[in-house]
Amino acid sequence: MHDAWSRGAARFIVLAALSSSAHANTVTIDPQPKQTLTSFGASGAWWPNDLVHFPPSTQTALGDFLFSQDGLWLSSYRYNMGGDGGDDTQEVTTNGSRVESFLLRNGTYDWNRDQAGVKFLKMAQQYAVPYASAMRAVIGNLTDPVNRYITFFVNAAPSAIAGNGAACGWSFTADKITSFADYITTVLSYWLSHGITELKYISPMNEPDNNRSDCGQEGMAVVPSLRAPLFKALRLALNDSSASSVDIIGDETSRVVEQALPEDPYWLPASAPDLSNIAIHNYDYPDDANLTIYYESIRSLTGGNPPPVKFTETCCSTTAGSGPSVFGAQYDPTMANALIVARYVWQFLTLVQAESFDWWTAATTLPCSPKIDGIQCATSINETAGYNSGLVYYDPNYNETRDFNIYYTKRAFMLKHFAYFHRPGSVRYDIPQQQLPSGVNAIASKMSSSGNSNQHFFGWGWGSGWGHGQGSAGTWSVLFMNNQTTAVSITLQSPDPAASMTRLVQTTNQDDFVDVQIPKSWRGVVQLELPAQSLVTAQFA
């Protein structure tokens, strides 16, 4: 009797506390729907050249981790169309960064080239279909399958087209537009007819302000005045081919403030009709104010109706995402860097209304060898060597050490919070920043339990899609990012009066995407404890 009374009193105290706190700092989700999300993914650049030499079991395990529902469940994969045509006048000096082109220097095609890259491209395609059964397990019945989106991207035109006969160190010229557009169309048409049916996007240039004159990696410069003519010619060539369904994204500018803002006026207004998306990197790591200026700029240049933004590449920052940040040598597999990247995602989703996010590269080499230097080389921060450029890592000396293990970082599990819970077709909703403690950001989205999964492809995708209106059936996912070094309590109002929390998942320096106990709620209000330096996702249905 006494024990029962104590339990009841304790429960009353907890509920009373929840009720009281609900009147003060309760976090609520803005009811106005924002953009429809399409994907979260990573690039297949360069690492397949190493991984193709690993045991098949390791290759399969990595594919499972990247693409399966038991792993990161990435919904986007970027395939690097190589530029090395063989017998180039100058080869890319970094051997692992040299990617074979299907177009040879003599002008003929060899579809057996780049076997390493194609192997993992086919693996991404393999996991893409069918998605319907997997999605039903998460959000209920669907009328259409939801597929992975594959992008082909070009660092440089192949040496057969390049003015200097090399896939680096040259500037694109107007007389190359037709041959380059024909080359891209030929490659896309071939792979669409040879099983890569999820090929959705082509990005014909990458960081066009840098021609990679040292040939440390592939690259060509494309001056702003040539970008719109190139996009136009490519769109016309695609329309007249079997690859007409492929959308063009561009221009993959490296730096927002230093390059995109001054250069966009020279190409974006004329290119907008030919682009499905504006593709942008963030290697100047802009702060919130400058990103807001950037978004207003692209709106102004396109009459208030810009193609939606795709955030297609970032890596290698060593400090926080609210500026100033530094591209530099560092290997940090911990939550500290994972939260830096998570804030980049938050910035672009909320301030630029980006519909997708792609990390630079899925896998890369460690700055050391665990079997030689000790396991701490993979698990500890190295402030002077390596780069924060991968989701997972491997031993660069695998030929010598025979170490074919894959080493995981917290960045990988950070990306899983986005890719796993915010599936293609989800609609994002704002969580007002003023309701959150300092150092905490949040993302919310809703996936409807019925509707057309491809609806966001019509028009620009703004607010047309799934789950509009908070009273309709569906699954909500709310992600909190706590960058503080201490735990934080959040009082959250359920995003739907009829919804209950069905899952609570956290990633910390101790946990990798671990389910934790769901707290009790009171009148739709629930109190969450966000551990220090953590990512916590609450799911409601």
Side-chain angles (χ1 to χ4, degrees):
M1 185 73 174
H2 177 76
D3 290 342
W5 183 90
S6 298
R7 288 194 297 270
R11 180 174 179 272
F12 175 80
I13 292 170
V14 170
L15 295 179
L18 284 173
S19 178
S20 174
S21 62
H23 295 292
N25 298 312
T26 302
V27 174
T28 58
I29 297 173
D30 190 305
Q32 179 64 37
K34 298 297 183 180
Q35 76 272 30
T36 299
L37 304 176
T38 61
S39 60
F40 295 90
S43 164
W46 305 344
W47 55 269
N49 291 329
D50 284 325
L51 268 293
V52 75
H53 302 298
F54 278 45
S57 58
T58 304
Q59 297 173 9
T60 300
L62 178 58
D64 285 342
F65 181 72
L66 294 177
F67 304 128
S68 77
Q69 189 179 357
D70 292 331
L72 303 187
W73 207 11
L74 300 182
S75 45
S76 171
Y77 185 71
R78 284 167 59 87
Y79 169 72
N80 181 194
M81 285 175 59
D84 180 82
D87 194 31
D88 289 3
T89 58
Q90 183 174 358
E91 288 187 337
V92 171
T93 55
T94 306
N95 185 52
S97 304
R98 191 181 307 144
V99 181
E100 294 178 336
S101 169
F102 303 113
L103 179 60
L104 298 171
R105 276 293 305 282
N106 63 15
T108 64
Y109 285 85
D110 180 355
W111 301 108
N112 291 314
R113 302 194 89 209
D114 191 26
Q115 292 188 16
V118 168
K119 182 180 184 70
F120 287 93
L121 169 65
K122 290 181 176 179
M123 194 176 292
Q125 169 67 37
Q126 167 197 336
Y127 281 92
V129 283
Y131 253 141
S133 60
M135 287 302 294
R136 289 187 188 102
V138 178
I139 64 171
N141 188 42
L142 287 174
T143 58
D144 296 323
V146 178
N147 298 323
R148 173 171 292 110
Y149 305 116
I150 293 175
T151 299
F152 278 34
F153 74 99
V154 179
N155 284 317
S159 54
I161 296 173
N164 65 347
C168 54
W170 73 292
S171 295
F172 196 82
T173 53
D175 62 305
K176 302 295 183 181
I177 288 178
T178 300
S179 58
F180 187 43
D182 289 344
Y183 154 73
I184 291 175
T185 300
T186 299
V187 172
L188 300 186
S189 297
Y190 176 86
W191 285 112
L192 280 167
S193 66
H194 285 75
I196 309 302
T197 58
E198 302 308 312
L199 203 173
K200 175 63 182 172
Y201 304 106
I202 174 64
S203 177
M205 65 188 74
N206 190 67
E207 302 188 347
D209 287 288
N210 192 342
N211 69 4
R212 306 294 175 183
S213 58
D214 63 355
C215 283
Q217 66 183 69
E218 293 180 353
M220 66 179 182
V222 184
V223 296
S225 62
L226 286 181
R227 295 173 199 176
L230 174 54
F231 291 135
K232 175 64 70 178
L234 179 56
R235 182 68 270 162
L236 291 173
L238 290 171
N239 289 346
D240 289 336
S241 75
S242 59
S244 59
S245 63
V246 178
D247 290 331
I248 303 171
I249 65 174
D251 64 343
E252 303 262 8
T253 292
S254 178
R255 298 170 181 268
V256 173
V257 177
E258 300 171 24
Q259 294 166 348
L261 282 174
E263 293 175 1
D264 283 355
Y266 295 96
W267 68 269
L268 180 55
S271 298
D274 300 311
L275 299 178
S276 69
N277 298 86
I278 299 169
I280 188 75
H281 304 174
N282 79 328
Y283 285 108
D284 51 353
Y285 310 108
D287 61 19
D288 295 354
N290 276 311
L291 272 182
T292 301
I293 292 170
Y294 168 69
Y295 184 56
E296 289 306 313
S297 174
I298 63 174
R299 283 180 54 82
S300 175
L301 291 171
T302 56
N305 190 30
V309 171
K310 281 188 174 297
F311 183 20
T312 50
E313 184 179 318
T314 189
C315 79
C316 309
S317 177
T318 61
T319 55
S322 55
S325 296
V326 177
F327 184 107
Q330 183 192 61
Y331 170 73
D332 182 357
T334 73
M335 285 299 297
N337 193 264
L339 286 162
I340 289 173
V341 179
R343 196 177 193 283
Y344 295 154
V345 186
W346 174 86
Q347 280 185 305
F348 276 80
L349 293 187
T350 59
L351 303 178
V352 187
Q353 303 292 302
E355 67 174 24
S356 66
F357 168 85
D358 289 298
W359 177 248
W360 160 224
T361 195
T364 193
T365 54
L366 288 164
C368 49
S369 296
K371 286 194 173 181
I372 297 173
D373 304 301
I375 191 62
Q376 70 275 5
C377 113
T379 58
S380 300
I381 297 174
N382 187 324
E383 295 288 4
T384 58
Y387 286 91
N388 295 317
S389 57
L391 300 176
V392 300
Y393 286 74
Y394 54 93
D395 185 349
N397 301 309
Y398 60 87
N399 277 326
E400 173 190 346
T401 64
R402 313 307 292 171
D403 180 0
F404 298 114
N405 291 305
I406 300 297
Y407 297 92
Y408 302 90
T409 70
K410 296 296 180 177
R411 278 190 301 279
F413 297 100
M414 173 280 301
L415 190 53
K416 182 171 182 175
H417 277 269
F418 288 98
Y420 190 95
F421 287 112
H422 305 275
R423 298 303 300 168
S426 299
V427 175
R428 190 187 69 81
Y429 290 78
D430 274 336
I431 297 179
Q433 190 62 38
Q434 62 268 26
Q435 295 180 1
L436 298 168
S438 175
V440 177
N441 299 105
I443 292 286
S445 75
K446 182 183 181 183
M447 174 66 84
S448 173
S449 60
S450 62
N452 188 338
S453 62
N454 294 319
Q455 193 167 351
H456 58 277
F457 286 128
F458 299 102
W460 292 125
W462 299 120
S464 64
W466 298 10
H468 294 173
Q470 291 201 21
S472 58
T475 299
W476 287 87
S477 296
V478 185
L479 168 61
F480 291 99
M481 315 163 207
N482 179 21
N483 200 39
Q484 293 193 28
T485 55
T486 57
V488 172
S489 292
I490 295 289
T491 304
L492 175 65
Q493 177 71 49
S494 173
D496 190 318
S500 299
M501 190 183 297
T502 57
R503 194 174 182 191
L504 189 62
V505 178
Q506 71 180 30
T507 296
T508 67
N509 274 315
Q510 292 75 39
D511 297 324
D512 294 335
F513 204 79
V514 171
D515 281 271
V516 294
Q517 185 176 357
I518 297 173
K520 295 183 181 297
S521 62
W522 172 249
R523 294 182 178 177
V525 175
V526 62
Q527 191 152 4
L528 301 177
E529 186 79 5
L530 310 181
Q533 291 192 305
S534 67
L535 296 155
V536 177
T537 294
Q539 194 169 58
F540 296 81

